Amino acid sequence: MENIQHLIQENEKGKRIDAVLAGLEYNWSRTQVQQWIKEGNITVNGAKTKPNYKAVPGDEVQVEIPDPEPLDVEAEEMNLDVYYEDADVIVVNKPKGMVVHPAPGHLSGTLVNGLMAHCKDLSGINGVLRPGIVHRIDKDTSGLLMVAKNDIAHEKLVQQLVDKTVTRKYTAVVHGVLDNIAGTIHAPIGRDKKNRQSMTVVDGGKLAITHFNVLEKFKDFTLVECILETGRTHQIRVHMKHIGHPLAGDPKYGPRKTPDLNGQALHAGVLGFVHPSTEEYIEFTAPAPASFDEFVEKLRNDVDNPVKKD
């Protein structure tokens, strides 16, 4: 069980305690905080509290985060698109529509279920729900992922992400025609206070940097390459929306009228990193799925209207 303490500050005076805690850097949801309060895991000045308690400067809040309950995640035989595999790492091309790792209430059909059947020996650093997972991509984003097969490899790969030395290039179709042929979006990302299920650019958020290059311009859309320097949740989707060019088909961050693509037009096509054992740089490239290419071809031929929602 992890214990976290927070001292109520002057600028938090009068706010509900659940709102105060949900707004901290840990990205707890308000629902989760309320559940912990109900279970007695959160106290104020040593006493149990209620979600609507109004914070007072100087209050000492203690949060006891219970250990996650072990869940039985079963191996499932899948036809995984494996690009590389050895004793340390496996690189997989994840299809659009597949969730990377299980979550309570959604324990099957994920990439982890398939990996468990494929290679038995995954790093245990991330626990039973995310064995071997070093980084992830969204359900409706296709593309390359690296997965660690032992703890030493896991630690080395994560450190490369921290050091920003991993190559991660994405191809995306965005709304509108970009004026610049290249640029950098340097804007911090955090939880959207109005919608805790979404991320947004926010003062005090986590450092987030995305570089982009224009690949091709169409009548109402642009094909771009996005290069991640950091890897925040929904980073490309949030950053492109922030500059006025949300991803085509994005159900969360896109405009109301957007192409019906069963999710955002985003593909993680290039992944490169230093091998954790050989210390040699290796890089892989996966072509975009056929549905992505078909959409781009429609834009080239100026037949985008048939795929737009009313």
Side-chain angles (χ1 to χ4, degrees):
M1 182 174 291
E2 182 179 2
N3 291 291
I4 294 176
Q5 294 181 334
H6 176 69
L7 185 66
I8 297 297
Q9 304 299 307
E10 189 65 35
N11 63 353
E12 296 168 331
K13 179 180 179 180
K15 294 182 180 180
R16 287 173 55 117
I17 195 66
D18 58 351
V20 169
L21 295 176
L24 298 179
E25 60 183 5
Y26 307 103
N27 284 334
W28 297 323
S29 71
R30 199 159 175 174
T31 299
Q32 179 66 81
V33 170
Q34 291 171 351
Q35 182 64 31
W36 285 338
I37 291 175
K38 181 180 179 181
E39 294 171 353
N41 293 96
I42 295 176
T43 59
V44 178
N45 301 323
K48 292 184 178 181
T49 188
K50 294 182 178 180
N52 62 355
Y53 170 78
K54 298 298 192 296
V56 176
D59 278 346
E60 294 182 358
V61 183
Q62 180 153 322
V63 181
E64 292 185 346
I65 303 176
D67 295 328
E69 295 182 7
L71 296 173
D72 186 16
V73 179
E74 296 184 357
E76 298 178 32
E77 292 293 338
M78 296 181 187
N79 185 24
L80 298 179
D81 188 8
V82 177
Y83 267 57
Y84 177 85
E85 183 177 8
D86 61 21
D88 296 301
V89 65
I90 179 171
V91 176
V92 182
N93 184 25
K94 184 191 81 68
K96 184 173 185 174
M98 176 183 280
V99 175
V100 171
H101 58 76
H106 189 95
L107 299 179
S108 64
T110 73
L111 179 63
V112 162
N113 295 108
L115 286 168
M116 290 175 66
H118 176 82
C119 54
K120 317 298 180 187
D121 52 345
L122 295 171
S123 166
I125 286 179
N126 273 342
V128 294
L129 291 181
R130 294 183 289 179
I133 299 301
V134 177
H135 64 124
R136 68 180 184 85
I137 54 179
D138 298 331
K139 172 187 174 184
D140 291 325
T141 299
S142 57
L144 296 169
L145 283 168
M146 56 182 176
V147 179
K149 297 180 70 175
N150 58 69
D151 290 354
I152 293 176
H154 198 134
E155 291 173 353
K156 289 184 177 181
L157 293 173
V158 168
Q159 189 59 50
Q160 291 182 53
L161 288 169
V162 172
D163 294 338
K164 304 182 181 64
T165 57
V166 177
T167 300
R168 288 173 291 172
K169 297 181 180 180
Y170 290 67
T171 308
V173 178
V174 301
H175 281 269
V177 180
L178 278 77
D179 295 329
N180 299 329
I181 61 171
T184 295
I185 307 167
H186 195 306
I189 291 177
R191 192 72 59 177
D192 189 336
K193 293 182 179 179
K194 296 180 180 179
N195 180 0
R196 301 294 298 177
Q197 302 303 312
S198 297
M199 310 300 289
T200 189
V201 170
V202 59
D203 290 339
K206 294 182 178 179
L207 175 70
I209 302 172
T210 305
H211 307 282
F212 68 85
N213 298 300
V214 171
L215 301 178
E216 192 171 353
K217 296 181 180 182
F218 310 111
K219 179 182 177 182
D220 299 310
F221 296 87
T222 305
L223 180 67
V224 298
E225 176 187 67
C226 294
I227 303 171
L228 289 180
E229 186 169 324
T230 56
R232 306 305 176 198
T233 302
H234 302 167
Q235 179 171 316
I236 292 174
R237 299 164 68 186
V238 170
H239 269 175
M240 296 311 294
K241 176 184 177 181
H242 179 64
I243 65 170
H245 296 280
L247 269 62
D250 194 329
K252 185 182 289 288
Y253 301 103
R256 185 176 64 85
K257 290 186 177 181
T258 191
D260 186 1
L261 304 174
N262 294 318
Q264 60 276 359
L266 184 63
H267 174 66
V270 178
L271 175 66
F273 54 92
V274 174
H275 191 279
S277 290
T278 68
E279 297 186 352
E280 294 181 358
Y281 179 78
I282 52 177
E283 185 173 288
F284 306 93
T285 301
S291 59
F292 187 104
D293 289 339
E294 289 168 3
F295 174 57
V296 170
E297 193 60 30
K298 287 180 180 179
L299 296 179
R300 288 194 181 110
N301 296 322
D302 195 23
V303 289
D304 52 321
N305 289 331
V307 296
K308 283 190 176 182
K309 291 181 178 178
D310 295 328

